[in-house]
Amino acid sequence: MKTTEPPVPAESGVPVAKVDTPPGNSPKRKKKEGRVLSVFSHGMLILWAFMVVLPLVWAVMTSFKSDSAIFSSPWALPDKLHFDNWARAWTDANMSDYFFNTILVVGGSLIGTLVLGSMAAYVLARFDFPGNRFIYFLFIGGMSFPIMLALVPLFYVVNNMGLLNTIHGLILVYIAYSLPFTVFFLTAFFRTLPTSVAEAAFVDGASHTRTFFQIMLPMAKPGLISVGIFNFLGQWNQYMLPTVLNTDPDKRVLTQGLVQLAASQGYKGDWSGLFAGLVMAMLPVLAAYIVFQRQVVQGLTAGALK
């Protein structure tokens, strides 16, 4: 039977064999690889930012040009700012009406989606009852259901309810369309919130309603802002649902108005007015994301931390 001798400490004067570090694990090599990876990742981010920002800047520049300048010098700066392009798109192309209708529809549906979605998500995340997981997976299934398959039955349902070509009918459809993702997102977020705060409120005599609206909902503000931004983007850019359920020309939303503007201004050759209307529809989305950018990042990363 072989026995292994214990290692001799270095203080005994006996020389200790030096263990060579493999070449692939040297600190210099790791530092060099990290530097190369950092340069590559930053280069890809700069390239991606250039690809995203350049079309936006070009559209804004084109909206202030004349029609002749658009074709003669498409990449040059405008010789002067033609604000009449915006005025023409706002008044003559009825962009003001489309803008107002979109604010009504998206504003009402966004409020309804956040209120109903947060209440459903709070119950699913905090209370155990028979059918909890079944209801949760029903919402998950709603995210994977193609909306195109529901257009025809949805049209007849809305028509039979007398909500076809109405603002409030479109609001209800938008809420139903956005609820699955909202419940899925907020359920995971409510599970990360501490239960001790709600328990302390119950001990003090607060009801479930008061605990939810005064304590838990303010704590979920980052998640509400994040899912609100995503719903705002989806509802603001929604085209298929209003095209099927809203055929009244006086109640068209902005996406329908842009299609009408592209057709009418294209036939007229009014490309400057077309780009002005495009930028009008684009600015609210950019402004909302720029203002709430930090809250969106906090909401997306809050689920990973407890």
Side-chain angles (χ1 to χ4, degrees):
M1 181 177 180
K2 295 182 179 181
T3 59
T4 58
E5 296 181 357
V8 180
E11 294 80 14
S12 61
V14 179
V16 180
K18 183 179 180 180
V19 180
D20 295 332
T21 304
N25 297 330
S26 61
K28 291 183 179 180
R29 186 180 181 87
K30 289 184 177 180
K31 187 176 181 180
K32 184 178 180 180
E33 291 178 353
R35 188 182 297 110
V36 172
L37 182 60
S38 177
V39 172
F40 177 76
S41 61
H42 282 77
M44 292 300 296
L45 290 175
I46 293 174
L47 178 62
W48 178 258
F50 181 78
M51 295 172 59
V52 171
V53 173
L54 182 60
L56 301 180
V57 175
W58 182 78
V60 174
M61 286 172 36
T62 308
S63 66
F64 290 104
K65 290 182 178 181
S66 61
D67 292 329
S68 58
I70 292 176
F71 292 97
S72 61
S73 55
W75 299 105
L77 294 174
D79 52 355
K80 68 174 183 178
L81 300 180
H82 294 270
F83 290 101
D84 56 312
N85 299 338
W86 289 61
R88 192 168 59 255
W90 184 257
T91 56
D92 297 346
N94 298 323
M95 290 295 294
S96 58
D97 298 334
Y98 303 147
F99 207 90
F100 180 72
N101 293 336
T102 305
I103 290 177
L104 287 179
V105 173
V106 174
S109 60
L110 192 60
I111 294 174
T113 301
L114 291 180
V115 172
L116 296 177
S118 60
M119 294 171 66
Y122 176 74
V123 172
L124 293 175
R126 292 291 180 172
F127 298 95
D128 292 329
F129 56 89
N132 181 301
R133 303 302 297 174
F134 176 74
I135 297 175
Y136 177 74
F137 285 116
L138 278 181
F139 282 107
I140 300 299
M143 294 174 55
S144 59
F145 187 80
I147 191 62
M148 295 181 63
L149 298 180
L151 288 178
V152 175
L154 184 61
F155 174 85
Y156 285 106
V157 168
V158 174
N159 188 29
N160 293 334
M161 295 176 63
L163 299 176
L164 196 65
N165 297 328
T166 59
I167 297 295
H168 52 281
L170 204 56
I171 290 175
L172 292 177
V173 174
Y174 275 23
I175 292 175
Y177 173 76
S178 304
L179 268 180
F181 173 73
T182 303
V183 173
F184 168 74
F185 188 94
L186 291 180
T187 299
F189 192 88
F190 275 118
R191 287 172 180 168
T192 64
L193 298 181
T195 59
S196 58
V197 180
E199 293 173 353
F202 291 142
V203 171
D204 292 339
S207 61
H208 288 286
T209 304
R210 186 175 181 180
T211 302
F212 172 71
F213 283 103
Q214 295 187 358
I215 298 177
M216 303 305 294
L217 201 59
M219 292 175 61
K221 182 180 176 181
L224 291 173
I225 293 178
S226 299
V227 76
I229 291 295
F230 290 130
N231 285 328
F232 174 76
L233 295 177
Q235 295 173 2
W236 187 271
N237 297 323
Q238 181 61 242
Y239 174 71
M240 189 174 300
L241 289 176
T243 300
V244 175
L245 304 176
N246 185 29
T247 58
D248 189 353
D250 296 332
K251 297 178 182 178
R252 287 174 177 167
V253 295
L254 203 55
T255 50
Q256 294 174 288
L258 284 177
V259 174
Q260 178 65 26
L261 180 64
S264 61
Q265 304 301 84
Y267 283 120
K268 296 177 183 178
D270 189 6
W271 299 102
S272 57
L274 176 60
F275 277 98
L278 176 64
V279 176
M280 286 181 189
M282 182 178 59
L283 285 180
V285 178
L286 291 177
Y289 186 79
I290 291 174
V291 171
F292 297 105
Q293 180 181 6
R294 180 175 300 178
Q295 287 82 356
V296 171
V297 175
Q298 290 177 355
L300 292 176
T301 57
L305 301 175
K306 287 190 178 182

